Every structure is written in C-alpha cells, then in structure tokens.
Amino acid sequence: RLYDYVTDPAEIYRRSFAQVRAEADLSGLPADARTVAVRMIHASGDLDLPRSLALHPRLVGAARGALEAGATIFTDAYMIASGVTRRRLPAANAVRCLLDDPRVPERARAWSTTRSAAAVSFWGEELEGAVVAIGNAPTALFHLLEQVAAGGPRPAAVLGIPVGFVGSAESKVALVENPWDLPYLVVHGRRGGSALCASALNALAQEAEIA
Amino acid sequence: RLYDYVTDPAEIYRRSFAQVRAEADLSGLPADARTVAVRMIHASGDLDLPRSLALHPRLVGAARGALEAGATIFTDAYMIASGVTRRRLPAANAVRCLLDDPRVPERARAWSTTRSAAAVSFWGEELEGAVVAIGNAPTALFHLLEQVAAGGPRPAAVLGIPVGFVGSAESKVALVENPWDLPYLVVHGRRGGSALCASALNALAQEAEIA
C-alpha cells in the first residue's frame, strides 16, 4: 500500500470507539445514554458533543422499548432514513419520511409554512407511540409540538437535532421544556443534521457499538 | 401558533444565509469557494468551519465544469447520494454508490480491507473525469489515491470529507498533498460526514444559494 493506514474494519471500529471513550467526557450523561453519545461522537468526529447533548431520563428506555415493540420511525429528511442501518432495527421497523408526499406542497402553501412542517401533519395516527427523528428543519419540530398541544398523537420519543441559524436552538429548548413529559434527546444550539440524527437512531435501535 | 418562529421558507433561507455571511470569516477562501463554504456552514450550523476548510485553487471550476459536462458523482455512502438535491444537478448527472454491490464483500475480504474501499475499486472507467464525494470512510479516500497512483482513472475533482478518529485526518492530508494535482476540497481533522459532504456537492452543482 502507498499509505500507512488501518484497513481491518473491526480494528477501525475498535480503535475509534476506544478513543472516543478515552477522550470524551461522558460523566454528565445518564448511564444508559453513554453508548448513544459515543456513536454520535463517532459519527460527527466531535469530542465536545456531550456538552451540547441533553436527554430526558427516560429517553433511551422509551425509544428502545418502542422500537422493540415495532414502532415506526418518522424522520423529516430522506437522508436520515437513508442513514438508518436496517439490520440494527429490532423489529424490521418502518422508516418513514413524507417530504415528497404529493399532498405536502399544497398544505405548505395553505398553511404558509415549510414543506417539512406540512409533512409532519400527514404522519397521522401511526405517530402514536412512534420514534421521531428530526435532523433538518426546526419548523418540523415546532409543528410536531403544536400538534401534540392540540391533542394529536404522542410519539414515544423525540430526537430533536435540527440544524441551523433560524429557529434551531429555540426549537430544541421548546422540546426540552415540553409540558407533556415527552422523552427527548437534543443537541442544543445550531448544530445538528442528518448524520448526527441517524447515528442516534442507530444507537437506540441496538445497544451494541458494532452491528 | 403556540410558538413564535419563522415559517416562510424563503425568509428562513434568506435570514440563514445572511447570518452566515455576516458572522463567518470567509476571507481566507478563494472567491469562487465562498458560496460553497456558506452552504457547508448552513448544513452544519458551524461558523468555525472555514478554519478547517481547504480547497485546491481549481476545485470549484473543475467540479462545476465536470458536472455541467455530465460527469457522474461517485460517493462512498448512500446517505450522501440521498442528500444530493437532484433538481440542482446541471445535467441530470448520475449519482452512484456501490457499497451494496454484491461483488463488494468478497473483494473486501480478499484484500483485507473495508467494504467502503472495495466499493471504490468497482467504480471503473466512469471514474475518469467524475466528481468524487467521500464523506464517510478514510479507507475509501486512501484507496482512491492508491488507484490513481497505480495509473487508474483520474476524477475531475475530489471532495475528501470522511469523518472519524482512525485515519480521517491523515487521509485528508494525503489528498491535499496528492502529486497528481487532483483538485480537492477537504475539511481537515476528524470532522466530516454525509451532511457536510452533500452540502458541498449541492453548492458545486449550482452556484445559487437557494434552488
């Protein structure tokens, strides 16, 4: 080989996770959330992630239990759905994104909102007990909370990791402060995105670091 | 609405990009790379990104020219392919990831390497003049460089944004120091991932910030 690098996949995983565990400060996290944080750090290359990570004390149990019981995963972006490792899912769970649903553009116009928020409104009764993973649009997260406030279906767990400069940080605060005791995971601030969100889902789907 | 937030999509984009342009330091970047950096900051929520960003002086022109001429985009992860906004592509370009190609596992075992690296070896002659976007596996980037060294097809431009703790930073240095004058874009260090990589591709596909 022209370059000196590790090529064995198992060895790459082993060294990666060992380094994350050695260097990241996971002490502020619930014990059952540490494997989730490790995978998110691994996916982002960011050892400082735990400083922005906040989890409801029941998040890991609620999300994992729902997935084991066959819950659907709803996402606000196809990239997240694409990033879910299907073989890690405990019950061949459905992974659904409705952003390209043909009904979405008209509703977005009618409600003067984003397609991401309009898509949430079509998640329907299957949302009850589902696992929600929002990794793109703050408006989708705000709309989800408004639906719950209006008496709509309640998901079992909500990953709130939208990214960006307009509404992102605020939407995460709203999720953490939700008055319905919805279990949440957020990355506070502007950071977020599909890769972080998919890694959190994959960690919740199965505790094993490598699978 | 229960919360006070911006719902108009055009206004969200306008405010987001205005804030990035106001707060990020883009002065160290080639002029034609600034829109690329802005989209990458927008996708990651990270105003410090320009400090880690390095571009070959011909990167933007080479990638954009290749895409306009119909070049294929090769990626090392399906998430990246999923994140490419098809309507931004100038020539309905093919977007290809071969990670799940049935020939890949056997070659990975035979060569004692990762599936990501083995998949690169099946990109074939279509790689000549293509745009490569590596956002996951350092081994894929190293393998690509080794193929070029061995006289294999040369891509028109290479985005080297693999993430992680084992080989990621080193693979980016190898790309920047490549002796074949391959135009590159890298995010130095451990950071990277599909979301950053897809946003760079989308920016290169079309200069407009919103499309």
Side-chain angles (χ1 to χ4, degrees):
Chain A
R1 291 202 165 89
L2 184 59
Y3 303 100
D4 178 25
Y5 62 105
V6 186
T7 58
D8 177 53
E11 180 66 11
I12 293 169
Y13 271 109
R14 199 194 60 73
R15 289 197 199 181
S16 296
F17 287 118
Q19 193 176 345
V20 173
R21 289 193 173 277
E23 296 186 25
D25 178 8
L26 307 173
S27 60
L29 296 169
D32 66 357
R34 290 180 191 168
T35 57
V36 179
V38 166
R39 283 196 76 89
M40 294 176 75
I41 293 166
H42 179 252
S44 61
D46 180 4
L47 288 166
D48 287 333
L49 188 80
R51 290 198 300 183
S52 310
L53 193 60
L55 295 98
H56 186 286
R58 285 192 293 105
L59 182 276
V60 174
R64 206 162 269 159
L67 292 173
E68 285 167 1
T72 294
I73 296 170
F74 284 102
T75 77
D76 70 327
Y78 290 101
M79 271 188 89
I80 303 169
S82 170
V84 173
T85 306
R86 296 306 196 275
R87 68 181 182 280
R88 290 182 72 96
L89 294 175
N93 309 67
V95 184
R96 302 187 68 195
C97 175
L98 297 188
L99 200 57
D100 286 348
D101 184 286
R103 299 167 295 177
V104 162
E106 189 184 328
R107 183 165 290 181
R109 276 190 300 271
W111 291 2
S112 297
T113 190
T114 62
R115 291 195 304 124
S116 299
V120 171
S121 74
F122 288 109
W123 288 353
E125 290 304 316
E126 204 177 333
L127 178 57
E128 182 77 34
V131 173
V132 170
I134 292 175
N136 183 39
T139 52
L141 181 49
F142 276 127
H143 187 81
L144 173 73
L145 296 173
E146 288 170 333
Q147 272 192 187
V148 173
R154 293 195 185 189
V158 181
L159 312 186
I161 318 181
V163 66
F165 295 84
V166 176
S168 171
E170 296 84 348
S171 71
K172 296 159 184 174
V173 171
L175 173 58
V176 168
E177 296 179 347
N178 85 81
W180 312 285
D181 202 30
L182 288 180
Y184 59 80
L185 178 159
V186 304
V187 175
H188 277 300
R190 295 159 166 174
R191 284 185 311 167
S194 306
L196 267 176
C197 199
S199 68
L201 274 178
N202 288 331
L204 292 166
Q206 195 175 113
E207 195 172 358
E209 281 181 345
I210 306 166
Chain B
R1 292 201 163 88
L2 184 59
Y3 304 100
D4 177 26
Y5 62 104
V6 186
T7 59
D8 177 53
E11 179 66 11
I12 293 170
Y13 270 109
R14 198 195 59 74
R15 288 197 199 182
S16 295
F17 287 118
Q19 193 176 343
V20 173
R21 288 194 173 277
E23 297 186 24
D25 178 8
L26 307 174
S27 59
L29 297 169
D32 67 357
R34 290 179 191 169
T35 57
V36 179
V38 166
R39 285 196 75 90
M40 294 177 75
I41 294 166
H42 179 251
S44 61
D46 180 3
L47 287 166
D48 286 333
L49 188 79
R51 290 197 299 184
S52 310
L53 193 60
L55 295 98
H56 185 286
R58 283 192 293 106
L59 181 277
V60 174
R64 205 163 269 158
L67 291 173
E68 285 166 2
T72 293
I73 296 170
F74 284 101
T75 77
D76 70 327
Y78 290 101
M79 271 188 88
I80 303 169
S82 170
V84 173
T85 305
R86 296 306 197 274
R87 69 180 180 280
R88 289 182 72 96
L89 294 175
N93 308 68
V95 184
R96 303 188 67 194
C97 175
L98 297 187
L99 199 57
D100 287 349
D101 184 287
R103 300 167 294 177
V104 163
E106 189 185 328
R107 182 164 291 181
R109 276 191 300 271
W111 291 2
S112 296
T113 191
T114 63
R115 290 196 304 123
S116 299
V120 170
S121 75
F122 289 109
W123 288 354
E125 290 304 317
E126 205 177 331
L127 176 57
E128 182 75 35
V131 173
V132 169
I134 291 175
N136 183 39
T139 53
L141 182 49
F142 277 126
H143 187 81
L144 173 73
L145 296 173
E146 288 170 333
Q147 271 191 188
V148 174
R154 293 195 184 188
V158 180
L159 313 185
I161 318 181
V163 65
F165 295 85
V166 177
S168 171
E170 295 84 348
S171 71
K172 296 159 184 174
V173 170
L175 174 58
V176 168
E177 295 179 349
N178 85 79
W180 312 286
D181 202 32
L182 289 179
Y184 60 80
L185 177 158
V186 303
V187 176
H188 276 300
R190 296 158 164 175
R191 282 184 313 168
S194 305
L196 267 176
C197 199
S199 68
L201 274 178
N202 288 330
L204 291 166
Q206 196 175 112
E207 193 170 0
E209 281 182 346
I210 305 168

